[in-house]
Amino acid sequence: MVPAQQRIVVHVDVDAMYVGCERELNPNALLHVPVAVSQYNPYGKLQETSSEEVDKRLIVRPGRPVNVSGDDINGSLIAVSYEARAEGVKRNDRGRDAVKKCPQLRIVQVPVKHGKADLTMYRDASYRVLNKLVASVKENAPSSQAGKILVEKASIDE
């Protein structure tokens, strides 16, 4: 065991990561605007979608007529951009409530596969972030410590 005075504990909060993933796929529609990612609503018209079907998964956007009382947009929000937070939108808000708070909000539904949320692209992004962090730590460590570095992942959700 490493003595406490030699340990370094770093907490990395990848806040709004799902929004970041969606912005990476669809920067023209989602950068610098209020965005939320919604878990699919099992009571809506659930359709299978892949992560590449960005336009199909963008279920709410300004300029597109929206039935704010419709079931398709009423999934729970699982990630909210800082722009949307500034307008009062919060994680766990329902889609229709979020649109009332922020009419400019764009809501992206997670991909759906086999009737369930397909979180593959978000997991892949998480691995990319973790691998970059580990590589950076090892790259910047003193050569005398290179083989002794231990990086542990812990998932602590709010």
Side-chain angles (χ1 to χ4, degrees):
M1 175 162 245
V2 178
Q5 66 271 21
Q6 292 180 1
R7 280 190 199 164
I8 297 173
V9 176
V10 178
H11 173 124
V12 178
D13 186 355
V14 187
D15 197 28
M17 182 171 166
Y18 285 19
V19 170
C21 293
E22 296 298 344
R23 285 178 165 168
E24 184 177 52
L25 286 174
N26 195 357
N28 293 334
L30 302 178
L31 279 179
H32 311 295
V33 296
V35 178
V37 177
S38 172
Q39 183 74 294
Y40 67 90
N41 183 0
Y43 304 108
K45 298 176 191 132
L46 190 60
Q47 297 177 16
E48 294 218 356
T49 54
S50 71
S51 57
E52 292 79 26
E53 294 178 280
V54 291
D55 195 55
K56 191 174 183 181
R57 293 187 308 104
L58 187 54
I59 58 174
V60 173
R61 72 179 97 186
R64 178 192 279 176
V66 173
N67 177 2
V68 177
S69 64
D71 287 333
D72 288 333
I73 69 161
N74 207 33
S76 181
L77 303 184
I78 57 176
V80 179
S81 72
Y82 290 105
E83 297 88 350
R85 290 177 191 186
E87 299 296 322
V89 179
K90 297 182 207 125
R91 190 172 176 264
N92 293 325
D93 277 355
R94 290 287 184 186
R96 77 179 96 194
D97 297 330
V99 171
K100 287 177 186 173
K101 292 178 185 178
C102 180
Q104 295 304 308
L105 184 66
R106 288 154 172 85
I107 300 179
V108 184
Q109 182 176 293
V110 298
V112 175
K113 189 174 186 180
H114 306 299
K116 296 181 179 177
D118 180 8
L119 305 178
T120 304
M121 75 171 186
Y122 308 116
R123 285 188 192 109
D124 291 347
S126 175
Y127 292 129
R128 287 194 328 254
V129 169
L130 183 62
N131 289 337
K132 290 234 183 234
L133 285 170
V134 170
S136 178
V137 166
K138 290 185 176 183
E139 226 172 77
N140 293 297
S143 58
S144 64
Q145 298 296 315
K148 300 176 185 174
I149 293 175
L150 173 65
V151 177
E152 295 178 356
K153 177 183 173 188
S155 179
I156 305 169
D157 283 336
E158 54 217 77

